[in-house]
Amino acid sequence: MRQHENRHRHRGRGRRPARRSTGSATAPPSRLSSVAGTRVVLVGLFSAKEKDFGAVLDSAATELAARGARIVGRFVQRRGISDGGAAKMALPFSSRTLLRSGKVREVAAACEEARADAAVFVTPLTELQERTLTVLLGCPALSLGTALAANRPSPPAPAT
């Protein structure tokens, strides 16, 4: 019986080799100092309950364009239409990427084709999501709030 236990002990997740970095690929910069003059792919994750997601994307595009960005692509991931139903509508599909893997590949291809300088997510991103998406998309991934904050003028220095 002991032999049987040992044989099964090492199966599953524990046997998966660790990912190794080749060292040749460099991650793109994760932050932008300004969106002015940049090519931006706009991405949003929306609940199926949210009917006006187009207006939300339009508003985000208008705000970015007012700061000098050029929108070169728009992507929407809907949640709650299938796979999980109403109970999971407000949750991301992935804690690492927010989106499904197919949508991430689609956005990455669009970023590469359009030579996008950034992917701006209407949905707020965690630091982990920003780092992961930056690597997967090949350009900085940031939330709309971060992109807009980068373009705020700095307060004037106090007079002395």
Side-chain angles (χ1 to χ4, degrees):
M1 193 65 138
R2 185 96 166 130
Q3 195 175 42
H4 178 72
E5 290 172 11
N6 287 337
R7 189 174 55 191
H8 291 288
R9 182 185 306 165
H10 297 291
R11 288 190 181 173
R13 295 182 82 87
R15 283 188 60 141
R16 186 180 346 167
R19 289 188 178 184
R20 296 176 196 233
S21 172
T22 60
S24 61
T26 58
S30 61
R31 296 280 180 202
L32 291 176
S33 58
S34 171
V35 293
T38 61
R39 292 179 303 276
V40 172
V41 171
L42 192 58
V43 185
L45 170 67
F46 298 98
S47 162
K49 289 181 179 179
E50 189 158 358
K51 303 298 181 200
D52 62 343
F53 66 91
V56 172
L57 280 178
D58 291 341
S59 174
T62 301
E63 288 185 55
L64 289 167
R67 287 166 172 80
R70 194 172 103 220
I71 307 302
V72 295
R74 291 168 55 139
F75 291 88
V76 172
Q77 176 82 68
R78 298 296 304 263
R79 179 69 199 237
I81 296 173
S82 62
D83 290 351
K88 295 185 178 179
M89 272 193 200
L91 300 175
F93 280 110
S94 164
S95 61
R96 288 182 61 240
T97 63
L98 193 71
L99 312 170
R100 285 185 175 262
S101 59
K103 186 63 73 175
V104 172
R105 286 191 301 270
E106 190 179 335
V107 173
C111 286
E112 183 178 349
E113 183 178 319
R115 295 188 330 264
D117 299 308
V120 175
F121 285 72
V122 175
T123 311
L125 298 175
T126 65
E127 286 183 32
L128 173 64
Q129 290 166 341
E130 283 186 9
R131 286 192 312 268
T132 303
L133 287 165
T134 293
V135 171
L136 292 174
L137 300 179
C139 64
L142 55 155
S143 63
L144 180 62
T146 303
L148 297 177
N151 275 52
R152 286 193 183 116
S154 11
T160 55

